[in-house]
Amino acid sequence: MSLPPEKATELKQLIHQQLNKMDVHGRIREVLAETIREELAPEQQLSTEDLIKALRRRGIIDDVMKELTFVSDIADGELTSSPKPSNFNDKQSTLLKKTNIDPTRRYLYLQVLGGKAFLEHLQEPDPLPGQICSTFTLCLHFRNQRFRSKPVPCACEPDFHDGFLLEVHRESLGDGTRMADATTMLSICDPIHMVLIKTDIFGETSLVASYFLEWRSVLGSDNGMTNIAVELLGVGTESKVSVGILNVKLEVYPQLNQTLSQEIVNTQLALERQKTAEKERLFLVYAKQWWREYLQIRPSHNSRLVKIFAQDENGINRPVCSYVRPLRAGRLLDTPRQAARFVNVLGYERASVIGGGGKHEQWCTLLAFLCRNKGDCEDHANLLCSLLLGYGLEAFVCVGTKAKGVPHAWVMTCGTDGTITFWESLTGHRYIHKPINPDDPPAVEQPKPLYPYRTIGCVFNHQMFLGNCQSSDSVELCVFDLNDESKWKPMSEEAIKSVCAPGATTSLPPFPPLCASVIDSSVTSNEIEMQLRLLVSEHRQDLGLTTIWEDQLSYLLSPALASYEFERTTSISAGNEEFQDAIRRAVPDGHTFKGFPIHFVYRNARRAFATCLRSPFCEEIICCRGDQVRLAVRVRVFTYPESACAVWIMFA
């Protein structure tokens, strides 16, 4: 195997650096001097073989060989099979990985070979070495496999160079055990969903583009290889504007024995589009008819929040039932309440709109929501409803309003005994609903609602859609007997199934599996704690105060933080007596203990510290003056899937 000259030079340079790093030259000189002194007759010449023997005897050659590691260079994204929750690791993606390729399987090797025309970053200067800059990350989902590219600096021509090995033929999705031929692959209509995320210098993420790549054009190319220039469009209000172009190369492994003609591939894709368009047209006709009937019941229904369609991040109208589907979290989440906690620690952010003028509504596809790690209340409610359905509960998303008529979405579960429970996806709180009967005499005590919801227009899940047709749409007066058609007008389940069932239409975005967290909670807790100590010391120094830290007291705060998170997840409080007892023993006579716990869903220590200082109680602790002031701070990071985390901080 001969290397091109530039590669040979590069290799020599790497070897030279490695030898320098281990100071091999110095050690060879010592051995040389020693060998000449001890082993050679004065007139004898030292040969290369003698020197190598001497180096081997002293173990220097073994040391050098140990330091060299050999790896095979393949896809940076990790390949995962369906039963295992998929995961990826940003820190490890820079290392080259080994992979096992099953020769009886068909794979699609997708390479991203750079981007161009990202004009928003035209003026951006090249980052200096070591300088923190905004980055682009590309996330992919295909047939239950998830991948993530290495982050690259934002630029007009971002330097993406990543390869992803996608398994086309998967037993776990019901494919047979035979090797898939071109015809079988042509019938697989799952697209490759690509989501481009931008992370700014403060670690804040934003959604740049969401694209469904039709990969089957590769089946009609002569050598089983094709290059595609993918034009990415913006999201939300900018869904018609180009944000940039990615150069993508697709290859089929092992190569196909016989390829299809491009004409056959195009005909198949056209047929699928036609079939999907016809199903969507028929559903739209039915939805209009249903809405007319709903308005005939009571003209005032026109003002109720009955949402049959919602726009996704690409500005495409989809039936709301297609945003929900039973989702199993594998071994990543154990209970429905833990799932509610996970959804609650994902960030909340309303879709941005240019200029003033209210809220732009945008329901995200699940992959876009998970990769960005934040979204609107509808995104949270859809994910929580999907997870609760996965746990076998009868769950629905409710669309209505909160106080002051603000539109809102939350989740409702119906127990087998008729108990109605509301789940607030943004806070993780649960509320039992007991309806008020307006016809009761005044002497009868009515239940006092604790939930923040005012009105409800409709409820839906992956199979049902029901419009509220009770005389009042007030939540506290509502009766949730969903089988009573005089109270809830249902849509035909067949009609919903025709456009929302998995695989019903090719335009439905497939649901990705959840990924395990890649955050090390102990390391992250330590890092944030050290940063906070530094910030507190600096803050006190500015006030002319010294800072003495009490490590033992900091450690004693741990059980309290663990019990707060346990309470958020289970609604059960535990372990408080031991904590209080330990604190009483630790505080000397004549001293008082003050503690301030606070909770965040981000890992930015500076931002958290600024928020803490806004609380007068916390500021009083941090700026405490006295003869024998001892300060303590404890941080505990609890990790959840998708690298979401709950950060508890306590100053004392």
Side-chain angles (χ1 to χ4, degrees), residues 488-504:
W488 294 93
K489 179 172 168 56
M491 255 192 186
S492 148
E493 288 190 27
E494 282 304 309
I496 291 170
K497 202 185 279 182
S498 72
V499 286
C500 297

Side-chain angles (χ1 to χ4, degrees), residues 272-289:
E272 284 175 10
R273 279 195 294 271
Q274 201 179 326
K275 215 165 151 190
T276 294
E278 181 59 15
K279 282 183 178 178
E280 287 173 349
R281 187 189 69 78
L282 289 172
F283 182 76
L284 183 61
V285 169
Y286 170 74
K288 283 180 174 171
Q289 173 63 28

Side-chain angles (χ1 to χ4, degrees), residues 529 533 549-556 631-634:
E529 195 170 301
R533 280 192 171 202
W549 293 103
E550 179 72 55
D551 285 342
Q552 175 61 9
L553 182 60
S554 295
Y555 181 68
L556 295 185
L631 290 179
V633 62
R634 191 68 171 166

